[in-house]
Amino acid sequence: MNQLNKINLEKIIEILRDHKPLPVDVKKRYAVLIPLILVDGEIHVLFERRSDSLRTQPGEVSFPGGKIEAFEEEKEAAIRETCEELLIEKNKIKIFAQGNFLVNPNREIIYTFIGLIDEEFYKIKANKDEVSYVFTVPLSFFLENSPDAYKTSIKITKEPGFPYDLIPNGENYKFKRYGEIVEFYHYKEEIIWGFTAKMIRNFTDIISQKFTKI
């Protein structure tokens, strides 16, 4: 007998008890750290410029982070990737909180964590296989400056043979249009854009909103 034929309400409840909700049809999951670091007593945000030899997003500015492995929790992945990329010990990372997360059009979810790199910046020697160099930006820069923002749109293309006859109004069905805002910060010679810009802007928005209520 097929095992599914034995399913009942109690079994369904048991299965769902430990289920962790995720966005439907997510293909990959990533976790990054928004790393704060003290530079001459001032709070800065640390960024990486990705190696030009990397297959994905070569040469772009990013936060330390990467793919979540099957055996990992999101926070563990953010810490592991940060240690691997910045070549620092785990005890040098002090996580404060989990930030907001993003689901991008490629069916990928990106979790963020906010924490302190408890190390002097000049001592950080990044992994050259993944990181060209690291740099910092005063947190005050992001609190005082808004990013440039540009609208983009995503066109939905239906594959040949799409079954229009199965949906109301057929080929005249009003599919929703998709798009996103792409943001850019310009700091000295560095361009911080895309997801990285969006998440640092979101993080500083949270801080600004809380401060105005104190």
Side-chain angles (χ1 to χ4, degrees):
M1 179 183 293
N2 190 318
Q3 291 297 317
L4 290 178
N5 293 333
K6 298 180 179 179
I7 206 151
N8 54 38
L9 183 59
E10 288 74 20
K11 181 61 68 174
I12 292 172
I13 293 172
E14 179 184 343
I15 291 169
L16 295 178
R17 184 175 293 118
D18 298 322
H19 172 69
K20 182 177 180 179
L22 289 171
V24 175
D25 290 339
V26 163
K27 182 173 61 175
K28 294 180 181 178
R29 299 188 305 136
Y30 298 89
V32 304
L33 177 68
I34 300 177
L36 307 181
I37 189 169
L38 296 178
V39 178
D40 297 327
E42 183 181 6
I43 301 172
H44 281 225
V45 183
L46 184 145
F47 295 91
E48 303 175 346
R49 185 184 184 279
R50 292 168 61 83
S51 171
D52 291 329
S53 64
L54 291 176
R55 185 176 61 180
T56 58
Q57 299 174 293
E60 292 190 17
V61 171
S62 70
F63 295 124
K67 185 178 179 181
I68 301 170
E69 302 295 346
F71 57 85
E72 288 181 309
E73 294 294 327
E74 294 89 358
K75 180 178 176 180
E76 294 173 342
I79 293 173
R80 174 183 57 77
E81 289 283 348
T82 301
C83 291
E84 292 175 1
E85 294 172 14
L86 300 184
L87 298 179
I88 59 177
E89 298 296 326
K90 183 177 178 179
N91 61 9
K92 295 291 185 179
I93 302 171
K94 316 294 184 185
I95 300 291
F96 300 145
Q98 182 169 357
N100 290 330
F101 61 87
L102 179 145
V103 181
N104 67 28
N106 294 325
R107 295 187 293 142
E108 298 169 337
I109 185 169
I110 308 171
Y111 298 90
T112 64
F113 294 84
I114 300 98
L116 176 72
I117 302 294
D118 189 16
E119 180 65 279
E120 294 182 80
F121 176 68
Y122 77 92
K123 292 183 178 179
I124 297 175
K125 308 298 180 184
N127 182 346
K128 292 300 182 182
D129 290 336
E130 300 186 54
V131 182
S132 290
Y133 59 83
V134 294
F135 65 95
T136 70
V137 179
L139 179 61
S140 59
F141 171 82
F142 298 106
L143 292 168
E144 296 167 1
N145 295 277
S146 298
D148 297 328
Y150 302 88
K151 291 183 179 180
T152 65
S153 60
I154 302 171
K155 182 179 179 181
I156 298 177
T157 302
K158 272 73 70 179
E159 295 289 335
F162 186 86
Y164 286 105
D165 59 306
L166 300 181
I167 60 177
N169 298 321
E171 294 188 25
N172 296 318
Y173 184 84
K174 299 296 184 182
F175 286 93
K176 290 185 177 180
R177 296 182 179 273
Y178 294 88
E180 64 174 321
I181 304 296
V182 181
E183 301 176 31
F184 293 79
Y185 286 100
H186 302 256
Y187 180 77
K188 296 183 178 180
E189 302 301 318
E190 303 293 348
I191 304 297
I192 301 165
W193 76 289
F195 160 76
T196 305
K198 184 170 291 188
M199 296 316 295
I200 191 63
R201 189 264 306 154
N202 181 264
F203 167 56
T204 51
D205 281 351
I206 294 171
I207 294 176
S208 298
Q209 291 165 8
K210 294 295 183 181
F211 263 100
T212 59
K213 296 180 180 178
I214 295 177

